[in-house]
Amino acid sequence: MSTLLQAVEVCGIIAFACSGFIEARRKEMDLVGVFIVAFITAFGGGTLRDMLLDRRPLFWVEHQEYAILVFVLALAAWPFFSHLRSAVAEKTIVVADALGLGLFSAVGASLALDAQMPIFICAMMGVTTGIFGGVLRDVLCNEIPMVFRRGQLYATCSFVGCWVYLLLELLEVSSAVALIASIIVTSTIRLVAVRLDLKLPG
């Protein structure tokens, strides 16, 4: 299970890093700015999770290859993302962000459950892990964080997906199945919310 969690975590890092690359390029940042935004987007949620769960060292310090991966991706993505049209960039960032949200939410809930946190706290830890990197990205790029706008469902998608994982675990379904189901539910609800403009009541 730890291998699967690590694989999911790496996929989440890549997805959120890509959303950071695109947003930074939209703001016409240089290569250093692109790397910093991508780094903080990819690691912000997991860092807050580790601090709240008192996990040391932080996950990206323990696995320095994660930080190296983002650095290499920034160098490789720089020429590619600089030529993205705005419409394509907008769609790409929505998909990357939805995937990152699903991947990190599931990992956060799983690690909190492993740490024997109360079940509601596990759900909230998953949400925190999923949304905080995006919050930091938007703040750095001088945008109102997506989760705070009265827009399409965002944190709600993470919350629902975390409960899918936790309920399947309580039903003693395979942890791998629970993790994958959670990722699919969170990411799918987010993409559908964007597509159909689903919002919470005002």
Side-chain angles (χ1 to χ4, degrees):
M1 182 59 185
S2 60
T3 303
L4 177 60
L5 268 181
Q6 194 168 355
V8 170
E9 200 161 53
V10 170
C11 291
I13 288 167
I14 293 171
F16 266 154
C18 287
S19 77
F21 295 148
I22 297 166
E23 188 63 30
R25 286 303 297 148
R26 285 171 62 188
K27 296 295 182 178
E28 300 181 350
M29 295 184 186
D30 62 14
L31 180 57
V32 174
V34 169
F35 170 69
I36 290 172
V37 172
F39 186 93
I40 289 174
T41 306
F43 300 128
T47 297
L48 180 59
R49 173 203 68 212
D50 286 355
M51 291 172 66
L52 292 172
L53 292 176
D54 198 25
R55 299 178 76 235
R56 295 293 187 277
L58 301 176
F59 78 110
W60 55 270
V61 175
E62 181 181 6
H63 301 284
Q64 68 161 345
E65 59 271 21
Y66 292 174
I68 294 170
L69 173 64
V70 173
F71 180 73
V72 172
L73 285 174
L75 293 176
W78 170 258
F80 174 71
F81 285 125
S82 62
H83 298 296
L84 272 183
R85 297 193 310 274
S86 58
V88 176
E90 189 69 36
K91 291 178 181 177
T92 305
I93 198 171
V94 166
V95 173
D97 194 70
L99 287 173
L101 182 68
L103 291 158
F104 267 122
S105 297
V107 170
S110 175
L111 290 175
L113 193 63
D114 287 345
Q116 299 182 332
M117 295 291 111
I119 190 163
F120 184 78
I121 300 303
C122 292
M124 295 310 300
M125 197 65 67
V127 173
T128 300
T129 307
I131 70 172
F132 195 67
V135 169
L136 293 176
R137 175 197 64 216
D138 292 343
V139 169
L140 283 174
C141 294
N142 200 30
E143 297 280 348
I144 298 172
M146 198 178 300
V147 70
F148 299 144
R149 303 175 207 164
R150 191 179 178 272
Q152 297 96 354
L153 301 178
Y154 191 73
T156 307
C157 308
S158 172
F159 189 69
V160 172
C162 288
W163 277 108
V164 168
Y165 171 78
L166 294 168
L167 291 174
L168 288 175
E169 282 282 3
L170 288 175
L171 293 171
E172 298 184 351
V173 174
S174 162
S175 293
V177 171
L179 201 68
I180 293 169
S182 173
I183 295 165
I184 292 172
V185 168
T186 301
S187 301
T188 301
I189 295 175
R190 173 58 186 161
L191 292 173
V192 170
V194 173
R195 178 71 175 174
L196 301 182
D197 196 26
L198 301 178
K199 302 176 181 178
L200 291 174

